[in-house]
Amino acid sequence: QVQVVESGGGLVQPGGSLRLSCAASGSTIRFYSMGWYRQAPGKQRELVAGISNFGIPNYADSVKGRFTISRDNAKNTVFLQMSSLKPEDTAVYYCNRLVNTWNWGQGTQVTVSS
């Protein structure tokens, strides 16, 4: 059974930065497009960044220019570098495949507040 574990969240002031990591076990990510999603209280889960198996990224308009997604296939890990964070980025962040998702992990909480 595939398991994904997200980490790196925390409390940060507006304008700050965080780097999230997602480690997958039970399957290789090498062949899959992967994504970072987030879910804010009372809202649906949304895709914020994706990266193809060839390493081509794409971003939601709300995070473009502030977030950078990357992957290390050798370590079976996906990263999300977040900069210039805003209070509206507050959410639980998850990673998963872009298509035919695996079971969702616990996510990592990101709180942007002064």
CSV table of all heavy atoms in Angstrom, one decimal, residues 19-24 27-32 34 36 51-55 69-80:
chain,number,residue,atom,x,y,z
A,19,ARG,N,9.4,25.4,3.4
A,19,ARG,CA,9.7,24.3,2.4
A,19,ARG,C,9.0,23.1,2.8
A,19,ARG,O,9.4,22.5,3.9
A,19,ARG,CB,11.2,24.1,2.2
A,19,ARG,CG,11.5,23.2,1.0
A,19,ARG,CD,12.9,22.8,0.9
A,19,ARG,NE,13.3,22.2,-0.3
A,19,ARG,CZ,14.2,21.2,-0.4
A,19,ARG,NH1,14.8,20.8,0.6
A,19,ARG,NH2,14.5,20.7,-1.6
A,20,LEU,N,8.1,22.6,2.0
A,20,LEU,CA,7.3,21.4,2.3
A,20,LEU,C,8.0,20.2,1.6
A,20,LEU,O,8.5,20.3,0.5
A,20,LEU,CB,5.9,21.5,1.9
A,20,LEU,CG,5.1,22.6,2.5
A,20,LEU,CD1,3.6,22.5,2.0
A,20,LEU,CD2,5.2,22.8,4.0
A,21,SER,N,7.9,19.0,2.3
A,21,SER,CA,8.5,17.8,1.7
A,21,SER,C,7.4,16.7,1.7
A,21,SER,O,6.5,16.7,2.6
A,21,SER,CB,9.7,17.3,2.4
A,21,SER,OG,10.7,18.2,2.4
A,22,CYS,N,7.4,15.9,0.7
A,22,CYS,CA,6.5,14.8,0.6
A,22,CYS,C,7.2,13.5,0.2
A,22,CYS,O,7.8,13.4,-0.9
A,22,CYS,CB,5.4,15.1,-0.5
A,22,CYS,SG,4.5,13.6,-1.0
A,23,ALA,N,7.3,12.6,1.2
A,23,ALA,CA,8.0,11.3,0.9
A,23,ALA,C,7.0,10.2,0.7
A,23,ALA,O,6.0,10.0,1.4
A,23,ALA,CB,8.8,11.0,2.1
A,24,ALA,N,7.2,9.5,-0.4
A,24,ALA,CA,6.3,8.4,-0.8
A,24,ALA,C,7.0,7.1,-0.5
A,24,ALA,O,8.2,6.9,-0.7
A,24,ALA,CB,5.9,8.5,-2.2
A,27,SER,N,5.6,2.8,-3.5
A,27,SER,CA,5.6,2.9,-5.0
A,27,SER,C,6.6,4.0,-5.3
A,27,SER,O,6.9,4.9,-4.5
A,27,SER,CB,4.2,3.3,-5.4
A,27,SER,OG,4.2,3.6,-6.8
A,28,THR,N,7.1,3.9,-6.5
A,28,THR,CA,8.0,4.9,-7.0
A,28,THR,C,7.2,6.1,-7.6
A,28,THR,O,6.1,5.8,-8.2
A,28,THR,CB,9.0,4.4,-8.1
A,28,THR,OG1,9.8,5.5,-8.5
A,28,THR,CG2,8.3,3.8,-9.2
A,29,ILE,N,7.7,7.3,-7.4
A,29,ILE,CA,6.9,8.4,-8.0
A,29,ILE,C,7.5,8.7,-9.4
A,29,ILE,O,6.9,9.5,-10.2
A,29,ILE,CB,7.1,9.7,-7.2
A,29,ILE,CG1,8.6,10.2,-7.2
A,29,ILE,CG2,6.6,9.5,-5.8
A,29,ILE,CD1,8.8,11.6,-6.6
A,30,ARG,N,8.5,8.0,-9.8
A,30,ARG,CA,9.3,8.3,-11.0
A,30,ARG,C,8.4,8.5,-12.3
A,30,ARG,O,8.6,9.3,-13.1
A,30,ARG,CB,10.3,7.2,-11.3
A,30,ARG,CG,11.2,7.5,-12.5
A,30,ARG,CD,12.2,6.3,-12.6
A,30,ARG,NE,13.0,6.2,-11.4
A,30,ARG,CZ,14.1,6.8,-11.1
A,30,ARG,NH1,14.5,7.7,-12.0
A,30,ARG,NH2,14.7,6.6,-10.0
A,31,PHE,N,7.4,7.6,-12.3
A,31,PHE,CA,6.6,7.6,-13.6
A,31,PHE,C,5.3,8.4,-13.6
A,31,PHE,O,4.5,8.5,-14.5
A,31,PHE,CB,6.2,6.1,-13.9
A,31,PHE,CG,7.3,5.2,-13.9
A,31,PHE,CD1,7.5,4.2,-13.0
A,31,PHE,CD2,8.3,5.3,-15.0
A,31,PHE,CE1,8.6,3.4,-13.0
A,31,PHE,CE2,9.3,4.5,-15.0
A,31,PHE,CZ,9.5,3.5,-14.0
A,32,TYR,N,5.1,9.2,-12.4
A,32,TYR,CA,3.9,9.9,-12.2
A,32,TYR,C,4.0,11.4,-12.1
A,32,TYR,O,5.0,11.9,-11.6
A,32,TYR,CB,3.2,9.4,-11.0
A,32,TYR,CG,3.0,7.9,-10.9
A,32,TYR,CD1,3.6,7.1,-9.9
A,32,TYR,CD2,2.2,7.2,-11.9
A,32,TYR,CE1,3.4,5.7,-9.9
A,32,TYR,CE2,2.0,5.9,-11.9
A,32,TYR,CZ,2.6,5.1,-10.9
A,32,TYR,OH,2.4,3.8,-10.9
A,34,MET,N,3.0,14.5,-10.2
A,34,MET,CA,2.7,14.7,-8.8
A,34,MET,C,2.2,16.1,-8.6
A,34,MET,O,2.5,17.1,-9.3
A,34,MET,CB,3.9,14.4,-7.9
A,34,MET,CG,4.5,13.0,-8.1
A,34,MET,SD,3.4,11.8,-7.4
A,34,MET,CE,3.3,12.2,-5.7
A,36,TRP,N,0.9,19.2,-5.4
A,36,TRP,CA,0.6,19.7,-4.0
A,36,TRP,C,-0.8,20.3,-4.1
A,36,TRP,O,-1.1,21.1,-4.9
A,36,TRP,CB,1.7,20.7,-3.6
A,36,TRP,CG,2.9,20.1,-3.1
A,36,TRP,CD1,4.1,19.9,-3.8
A,36,TRP,CD2,3.2,19.6,-1.8
A,36,TRP,NE1,5.0,19.3,-3.0
A,36,TRP,CE2,4.5,19.1,-1.8
A,36,TRP,CE3,2.4,19.5,-0.6
A,36,TRP,CZ2,5.1,18.6,-0.7
A,36,TRP,CZ3,3.0,19.0,0.5
A,36,TRP,CH2,4.3,18.5,0.5
A,51,ILE,N,3.7,18.8,-11.1
A,51,ILE,CA,5.0,18.6,-11.8
A,51,ILE,C,4.9,17.3,-12.5
A,51,ILE,O,4.5,16.3,-12.0
A,51,ILE,CB,6.2,18.7,-10.8
A,51,ILE,CG1,7.5,18.6,-11.6
A,51,ILE,CG2,6.1,17.6,-9.8
A,51,ILE,CD1,8.7,19.0,-10.8
A,52,SER,N,5.2,17.4,-13.8
A,52,SER,CA,5.1,16.1,-14.6
A,52,SER,C,6.2,15.2,-14.3
A,52,SER,O,7.2,15.6,-13.6
A,52,SER,CB,5.1,16.5,-16.1
A,52,SER,OG,6.5,16.9,-16.5
A,53,ASN,N,6.1,14.0,-14.8
A,53,ASN,CA,7.2,13.0,-14.6
A,53,ASN,C,8.5,13.5,-15.3
A,53,ASN,O,9.6,13.0,-14.9
A,53,ASN,CB,6.8,11.6,-15.0
A,53,ASN,CG,6.3,11.5,-16.4
A,53,ASN,OD1,5.7,12.5,-16.9
A,53,ASN,ND2,6.6,10.4,-17.1
A,54,PHE,N,8.4,14.4,-16.2
A,54,PHE,CA,9.6,14.9,-16.9
A,54,PHE,C,10.1,16.2,-16.1
A,54,PHE,O,11.1,16.8,-16.6
A,54,PHE,CB,9.3,15.3,-18.3
A,54,PHE,CG,8.9,14.1,-19.2
A,54,PHE,CD1,7.6,13.9,-19.6
A,54,PHE,CD2,9.9,13.1,-19.5
A,54,PHE,CE1,7.3,12.8,-20.4
A,54,PHE,CE2,9.5,12.1,-20.3
A,54,PHE,CZ,8.2,11.9,-20.7
A,55,GLY,N,9.4,16.6,-15.1
A,55,GLY,CA,9.9,17.7,-14.3
A,55,GLY,C,9.3,19.1,-14.7
A,55,GLY,O,9.8,20.1,-14.3
A,69,ILE,N,7.6,24.1,-7.2
A,69,ILE,CA,7.5,22.7,-7.0
A,69,ILE,C,8.7,22.0,-7.6
A,69,ILE,O,9.2,22.4,-8.7
A,69,ILE,CB,6.2,22.1,-7.5
A,69,ILE,CG1,6.0,20.6,-7.1
A,69,ILE,CG2,6.1,22.2,-9.0
A,69,ILE,CD1,4.6,20.1,-7.4
A,70,SER,N,9.2,21.0,-7.0
A,70,SER,CA,10.3,20.2,-7.5
A,70,SER,C,10.2,18.8,-7.1
A,70,SER,O,9.4,18.4,-6.2
A,70,SER,CB,11.7,20.8,-7.1
A,70,SER,OG,11.8,20.8,-5.7
A,71,ARG,N,11.0,17.9,-7.7
A,71,ARG,CA,11.0,16.5,-7.3
A,71,ARG,C,12.4,15.9,-7.3
A,71,ARG,O,13.2,16.4,-8.1
A,71,ARG,CB,10.1,15.7,-8.3
A,71,ARG,CG,10.5,15.7,-9.7
A,71,ARG,CD,9.4,15.2,-10.6
A,71,ARG,NE,9.0,13.8,-10.3
A,71,ARG,CZ,7.9,13.3,-10.6
A,71,ARG,NH1,6.9,14.0,-11.2
A,71,ARG,NH2,7.7,12.0,-10.4
A,72,ASP,N,12.6,14.9,-6.5
A,72,ASP,CA,13.8,14.1,-6.5
A,72,ASP,C,13.4,12.7,-6.6
A,72,ASP,O,13.1,12.0,-5.6
A,72,ASP,CB,14.6,14.4,-5.2
A,72,ASP,CG,16.0,13.7,-5.2
A,72,ASP,OD1,16.2,12.7,-5.9
A,72,ASP,OD2,16.8,14.2,-4.4
A,73,ASN,N,13.4,12.2,-7.8
A,73,ASN,CA,13.0,10.8,-8.0
A,73,ASN,C,13.8,9.8,-7.3
A,73,ASN,O,13.3,8.7,-6.8
A,73,ASN,CB,12.9,10.5,-9.5
A,73,ASN,CG,11.8,11.2,-10.2
A,73,ASN,OD1,10.9,11.7,-9.6
A,73,ASN,ND2,12.0,11.4,-11.5
A,74,ALA,N,15.1,10.1,-7.1
A,74,ALA,CA,16.0,9.1,-6.4
A,74,ALA,C,15.6,9.0,-5.0
A,74,ALA,O,15.8,7.9,-4.4
A,74,ALA,CB,17.4,9.6,-6.6
A,75,LYS,N,15.1,10.1,-4.4
A,75,LYS,CA,14.7,10.0,-3.0
A,75,LYS,C,13.2,9.8,-2.9
A,75,LYS,O,12.6,9.9,-1.8
A,75,LYS,CB,15.1,11.3,-2.3
A,75,LYS,CG,16.6,11.5,-2.2
A,75,LYS,CD,16.9,12.8,-1.5
A,75,LYS,CE,18.5,12.9,-1.3
A,75,LYS,NZ,18.8,14.2,-0.6
A,76,ASN,N,12.5,9.7,-4.0
A,76,ASN,CA,11.0,9.4,-4.0
A,76,ASN,C,10.3,10.6,-3.2
A,76,ASN,O,9.4,10.3,-2.5
A,76,ASN,CB,10.7,8.1,-3.4
A,76,ASN,CG,9.7,7.3,-4.2
A,76,ASN,OD1,9.7,7.4,-5.4
A,76,ASN,ND2,8.9,6.5,-3.6
A,77,THR,N,10.7,11.8,-3.5
A,77,THR,CA,10.3,12.9,-2.7
A,77,THR,C,9.9,14.1,-3.6
A,77,THR,O,10.5,14.3,-4.6
A,77,THR,CB,11.3,13.4,-1.7
A,77,THR,OG1,11.7,12.3,-0.8
A,77,THR,CG2,10.9,14.5,-0.8
A,78,VAL,N,8.9,14.8,-3.2
A,78,VAL,CA,8.4,16.0,-3.9
A,78,VAL,C,8.5,17.1,-2.9
A,78,VAL,O,8.2,17.0,-1.7
A,78,VAL,CB,7.0,15.8,-4.4
A,78,VAL,CG1,6.5,17.1,-5.2
A,78,VAL,CG2,6.8,14.6,-5.3
A,79,PHE,N,8.9,18.3,-3.4
A,79,PHE,CA,9.0,19.5,-2.6
A,79,PHE,C,8.2,20.6,-3.0
A,79,PHE,O,7.8,20.7,-4.2
A,79,PHE,CB,10.5,19.9,-2.6
A,79,PHE,CG,11.5,18.9,-2.2
A,79,PHE,CD1,12.2,18.2,-3.2
A,79,PHE,CD2,11.8,18.6,-0.9
A,79,PHE,CE1,13.1,17.2,-2.8
A,79,PHE,CE2,12.7,17.7,-0.5
A,79,PHE,CZ,13.3,16.9,-1.5
A,80,LEU,N,7.8,21.5,-2.1
A,80,LEU,CA,7.2,22.7,-2.4
A,80,LEU,C,7.8,23.9,-1.6
A,80,LEU,O,7.7,23.9,-0.4
A,80,LEU,CB,5.7,22.7,-2.1
A,80,LEU,CG,4.9,23.9,-2.6
A,80,LEU,CD1,4.8,23.9,-4.1
A,80,LEU,CD2,3.4,23.9,-2.0
